[in-house]
Amino acid sequence: MIGLGVGLLLAAIAFMTVGAKGSWDFVLPFRGTKLLAMTLVGVAVAVSTVMFQTVTDNRILTPSIMGFDALYLLLQTFLVFTIGSARLAAVDGGVRFGGEVAVMVTFGVMLYRWLLIGARRSVHVLVLAGIVLGVLFRSLSSFMQRLIDPNEFQVLQDAMFASFNSFDRSLVWPAAGLLAVAVSVAWGLRRRLDVLLLGRERATSLGVDYRRTVGLVLVVVAVLVSVSTALVGPIMFFGLLVANLAYRIAGSHRHAVVMPAAALLGVLALVAGQTVLERVFAFDTALAVIIEFLGGIVFLALLVRGEKR
Amino acid sequence: MIDVLDAVKTYGSVRVVDGVRLTLPAGGLTSIVGPNGAGKSTLLSLIARLLEMDGGQVLVDGLDVTSTRSDVLATRIAALRQENHLTSRLTVRDLVTFGRYPHSKGRTTPEDLEHVARALEFLDLEPLADRFLDEMSGGQRQRAFVAMVLCQDTDVVLLDEPLNNLDPRHAVAMMERLRAAVDELGKTVVLVVHDINVAAHYSDHIVAMCDGAVMVEGSPREVIRPEVLSSVYGLPVEVHEIAGRPHATYFPPGRPSVTFSIA
Ligand SMILES: Nc1ncnc2c1ncn2[C@@H]1O[C@H](COP(=O)(O)OP(=O)(O)OP(=O)(O)O)[C@@H](O)[C@H]1O
Ligand SMILES: [Mg+2]
């Protein structure tokens, strides 16, 4: 954990300073915002994945595999489709973002509560359901995109692909605020999450109100997914990667350890990866691709090893 | 005291618990027996509010289990499930410590640690306390789960086949320990067992279930009778008196020895 912290600090310093040209007055705030955005995304993805895996009692499903971020994109598309980007642009970024998150929480929680709390389903059915939902949401989005004005489509296109270079800078502070609230709720739930590791029945037997706790966890997850998707777009397998690494290195089942470890790992991977790619190799959007590649391999490995229930 | 009032549980169109009416007095050891699929585990899960009922009511010490807060019930009822699978990797000590959650809410106190140490000792788990559950034998794991349930230190303890996978020594030790909990601490213990003679030997009360309903209930002498057991299990059962207690045998007598030949 300390090693992770130190590594992260070094990576952050390297990110802020390596290859800086021109005035520090420009470079520091510019890169600082980007660093903050990466921190937000790393923490949001890591914490949401760990919580989600605990309540679904498996190590393979993640919010993005279950189509959470596709749902967020669908919402965005729907807004542009119905209201139009010009009128949307007139609304303050923070307010719009808040509205999107609110809708996301309502719909997401309803849908996934039904999927997860209703009948007992096997992980394989859930994976399948998630993939189908993801495809459904994405096709609906692209269907609406076909119908809208090409100019409006431009606005959306940025949102559809993960990129750590082009993000909406006006969203960083509202996102930071939301993340802080969501993460403190997650921290408050850490002991109950520990009990949920025993599965639904044993947790109930120990006095945890399963429905309420899972409902609350899903709200937190929906907020966290909105934060990361709004900032950089959908990243499918990143959460899987950091969560599973965190279980290995945390050396404890307790969420008080696992959640911070996953968050540190998530931020470290993004900041270090971005520093190396951007400054050393001068690549642009490759980080998302590399993360997806590694995460995809981990996903397959977990599926093949049958580490499901 | 446990009151089951016409409890019903259906899956699809099948009523797997079909209007069960039972009253189990406080401070006694009750065994539930019956064939596979009779609804024993389902009934136990309904009493422990681990499954939602489709009809009827269960009262534990006068508290309705569907409307009472789960955390309040957790200090009164503890339940062992028949199945003991876990996704995450825990040590025996971690697992047993979870048994204290209803009292500690995750902030383990020295008193909790005492309870944990006692539970580990009772179930002969001290040398295994820091082993991971997925690296232990079936019987060792079973004892760890029972230790967790006993660590919860509730007045009512429901155990679904606690003797699963146990060797005779540990099975007897566990039954003796449960008997002592009833006699010395006044606990109410309800367990599902398949070994009729264990039920006969240790119980105050035996409930025989069949097809989701209670077929017979009563003292061991009332239930451990050839005609009762034969109809519960659909198997000829003889009952002999051994050392002043009824003892059931259910192997067909005079079975010729079988030899296999491989052509
Ligand atoms: N989730 C479920 N969905 C559908 N049917 C179920 C479900 N769980 C149990 N059943 C059915 O309910 C009936 C009662 O099951 P239960 O587990 O209570 O039996 P049991 O008496 O504990 O049997 P055993 O001695 O094998 O443990 C069985 O016929 C079983 O097939
Ligand atoms: Mg059973």
Side-chain angles (χ1 to χ4, degrees):
Chain A
M1 201 73 133
I2 295 170
L4 273 183
V6 173
L8 180 57
L9 202 65
L10 290 179
I13 293 172
F15 178 78
M16 292 295 281
T17 55
V18 172
K21 285 195 213 79
S23 142
W24 286 106
D25 288 345
F26 170 72
V27 170
L28 286 186
F30 181 80
R31 290 192 179 176
T33 317
K34 200 159 159 182
L35 182 65
L36 179 59
M38 283 195 285
T39 308
L40 297 179
V41 171
V43 172
V45 171
V47 172
S48 63
T49 306
V50 169
M51 293 176 91
F52 191 77
Q53 297 203 327
T54 296
V55 300
T56 52
D57 194 18
N58 81 90
R59 297 276 163 100
I60 291 179
L61 297 177
T62 68
S64 35
I65 293 174
M66 293 299 293
F68 253 82
D69 45 10
L71 178 62
Y72 183 80
L73 291 179
L74 175 61
L75 274 174
Q76 274 196 326
T77 312
F78 185 73
L79 280 181
V80 173
F81 181 67
T82 49
I83 305 180
S85 65
R87 249 185 293 170
L88 265 187
V91 182
D92 173 61
V95 172
R96 195 174 93 208
F97 179 52
E100 282 168 4
V101 171
V103 178
M104 168 76 180
V105 167
T106 318
F107 275 107
V109 170
M110 265 175 7
L111 176 64
Y112 290 98
R113 262 187 84 107
W114 167 74
L115 201 60
L116 300 174
I117 300 192
R120 218 65 48 87
R121 291 169 230 263
S122 82
V123 190
H124 292 103
V125 173
L126 287 179
V127 170
L128 206 62
I131 289 169
V132 170
L133 282 176
V135 170
L136 174 73
F137 296 152
R138 275 178 217 113
S139 338
L140 279 176
S141 308
S142 61
F143 175 67
M144 280 191 251
Q145 285 157 16
R146 300 256 149 82
L147 298 179
I148 58 181
D149 199 79
N151 291 328
E152 310 222 312
F153 181 64
Q154 269 291 306
V155 179
L156 278 173
Q157 206 174 18
D158 271 352
M160 307 302 291
F161 301 98
S163 163
F164 295 93
N165 287 321
S166 58
F167 56 87
D168 187 348
R169 282 168 188 271
S170 69
L171 288 186
V172 170
W173 287 108
L178 267 180
L179 182 97
V181 174
V183 165
S184 46
V185 175
W187 184 250
L189 285 171
R190 65 194 184 281
R191 297 200 175 88
R192 264 193 269 169
L193 286 167
D194 290 346
V195 182
L196 285 181
L197 287 175
L198 299 177
R200 177 187 191 148
E201 280 82 9
R202 281 186 213 106
T204 307
S205 192
L206 292 174
V208 171
D209 186 335
Y210 182 81
R211 275 168 182 282
R212 261 194 49 202
T213 309
V214 172
L216 197 53
V217 166
L218 288 177
V219 170
V220 173
V221 168
V223 171
L224 292 173
V225 170
S226 309
V227 165
S228 77
T229 319
L231 282 177
V232 299
I235 7 179
M236 186 94 162
F237 293 119
F238 180 48
L240 188 78
L241 194 67
V242 293
N244 279 284
L245 264 177
Y247 302 137
R248 290 283 140 79
I249 65 164
S252 166
H253 62 280
R254 287 168 45 236
H255 285 76
V257 183
V258 175
M259 289 197 298
L264 280 176
L265 271 172
V267 180
L268 178 63
L270 290 183
V271 175
Q274 188 72 8
T275 311
V276 171
L277 287 180
E278 202 175 301
R279 307 281 187 269
V280 183
F281 295 112
F283 283 151
D284 227 20
T285 49
L287 181 60
V289 177
I290 292 175
I291 286 174
E292 295 297 54
F293 179 68
L294 290 179
I297 291 177
V298 171
F299 179 64
L300 286 180
L302 289 175
L303 269 185
V304 169
R305 277 196 13 212
E307 199 174 281
K308 47 213 191 285
R309 304 223 102 194
Chain B
M1 166 109 151
I2 301 173
D3 283 299
V4 182
L5 305 167
D6 301 313
V8 175
K9 177 73 196 175
T10 55
Y11 286 112
S13 58
V14 189
R15 289 161 81 93
V16 300
V17 168
D18 191 3
V20 168
R21 206 167 241 284
L22 263 184
T23 299
L24 305 173
L29 195 152
T30 302
S31 294
I32 303 180
V33 300
N36 291 147
K40 308 179 295 294
S41 299
T42 310
L43 177 64
L44 227 53
S45 293
L46 293 179
I47 297 175
R49 52 95 174 72
L50 304 182
L51 273 181
E52 271 170 48
M53 247 176 288
D54 296 308
Q57 203 183 16
V58 172
L59 305 176
V60 173
D61 293 336
L63 298 175
D64 185 330
V65 298
T66 34
S67 57
T68 306
R69 287 172 53 124
S70 198
D71 53 349
V72 173
L73 284 173
T75 59
R76 309 219 177 188
I77 324 174
L80 173 80
R81 303 209 321 131
Q82 182 171 357
E83 167 273 336
N84 58 20
H85 174 82
L86 272 186
T87 311
S88 40
R89 237 171 146 241
L90 298 178
T91 65
V92 175
R93 196 186 299 280
D94 291 335
L95 180 77
V96 177
T97 309
F98 271 122
R100 297 306 298 166
Y101 183 83
H103 309 277
S104 70
K105 294 287 182 275
R107 291 184 186 81
T108 312
T109 64
E111 195 201 329
D112 293 321
L113 293 179
E114 256 169 56
H115 276 276
V116 172
R118 220 173 307 146
L120 289 172
E121 186 194 325
F122 274 133
L123 287 149
D124 206 5
L125 286 167
E126 282 161 322
L128 303 170
D130 295 305
R131 286 268 286 278
F132 283 101
L133 289 163
D134 55 355
E135 293 167 357
M136 303 208 312
S137 78
Q140 292 168 339
R141 204 174 310 138
Q142 178 75 4
R143 271 149 51 207
F145 278 95
V146 173
M148 169 182 149
V149 169
L150 296 184
C151 210
Q152 209 172 325
D153 194 27
T154 52
D155 285 340
V156 177
V157 183
L158 310 175
L159 301 159
D160 198 345
E161 304 197 20
L163 305 182
N164 263 357
N165 297 321
L166 295 194
D167 63 39
R169 179 169 75 90
H170 284 111
V172 168
M174 186 172 300
M175 290 310 299
E176 293 287 339
R177 152 115 193 74
L178 292 175
R179 196 60 248 179
V182 171
D183 295 337
E184 290 158 25
L185 306 173
K187 306 254 177 196
T188 308
V189 175
V190 180
L191 50 122
V192 174
V193 275
H194 278 301
D195 187 330
I196 314 166
N197 293 319
V198 167
H201 193 85
Y202 286 101
S203 316
D204 301 310
H205 195 76
I206 297 181
V207 176
M209 284 186 73
C210 216
D211 293 330
V214 174
M215 200 161 159
V216 221
E217 59 167 320
S219 67
R221 280 221 175 265
E222 290 166 316
V223 178
I224 307 299
R225 285 186 299 157
E227 63 279 12
V228 172
L229 294 178
S230 301
S231 70
V232 167
Y233 289 102
L235 176 83
V237 179
E238 290 175 27
V239 175
H240 302 281
E241 201 76 11
I242 297 181
R245 291 166 184 280
H247 190 95
T249 58
Y250 36 84
F251 297 113
R255 188 178 160 78
S257 63
V258 183
T259 51
F260 293 97
S261 61
I262 299 164

